[in-house]
Amino acid sequence: MGGFSSERLISLKSGGVVCRALDKNKYNVYAVDIAREGWYYINELDERIAVDRNDFSVMIDGEKVRFDVVFNAIHGSPGENGLMQAYFELMGIPHTSCGHFESALTFNKRECIAVARQCGIPTAPSVF
């Protein structure tokens, strides 16, 4: 959750909703804020613990925690434009988003329309 765009605050709210909705009896849920100034796991006491970007892990009580899957709740960049998806794919971490290419393409509306038209998919008239 979080991100770099003007949609950051709504993304933090979306991430909070996801964290509260997930069944804690089935899953260990970790809220992670991706911000320009750093990536942080936010614990129950609202403390921020730095995420190791080398392997997308955190140290909690002296134990390295690696995540089994990422629920991507970032609105805008870098969660909808393919950047985070490419990172997770490079790390081999499953995520709830589409792939990095599809995300990058659909984020760029002009390119997406051009590709759709090349594939014979009808599109609404548009002006760039």
Side-chain angles (χ1 to χ4, degrees):
M1 59 187 181
F4 310 152
S5 76
S6 61
E7 299 177 73
R8 176 176 168 70
L9 293 179
I10 192 68
S11 172
L12 291 170
K13 288 181 182 182
S14 295
V17 168
V18 171
C19 288
R20 288 188 300 278
L22 289 170
D23 186 344
K24 307 301 185 297
N25 293 316
K26 291 183 179 181
Y27 307 104
N28 295 320
V29 178
Y30 300 89
V32 176
D33 180 3
I34 305 297
R36 285 196 190 278
E37 63 274 4
W39 298 7
Y40 301 96
Y41 157 62
I42 305 167
N43 68 16
E44 304 80 32
L45 302 174
D46 212 27
E47 298 169 326
R48 299 169 76 76
I49 301 168
V51 171
D52 183 345
R53 296 184 202 190
N54 294 305
D55 62 0
F56 200 65
S57 67
V58 293
M59 291 296 290
I60 301 174
D61 297 326
E63 181 181 335
K64 185 172 213 148
V65 175
R66 291 197 167 101
F67 307 110
D68 296 323
V69 67
V70 171
F71 189 108
N72 182 1
I74 299 176
H75 304 290
S77 182
E80 288 183 308
N81 61 358
L83 295 175
M84 292 304 299
Q85 294 87 336
Y87 170 78
F88 294 135
E89 289 164 18
L90 285 170
M91 293 290 124
I93 301 170
H95 55 89
T96 61
S97 309
C98 61
H100 73 278
F101 175 78
E102 296 83 358
S103 187
L105 177 62
T106 56
F107 194 74
N108 184 325
K109 305 309 181 237
R110 182 176 58 138
E111 290 299 317
C112 188
I113 289 170
V115 169
R117 286 181 180 157
Q118 288 176 356
C119 294
I121 299 169
T123 62
S126 62
V127 176
F128 176 73

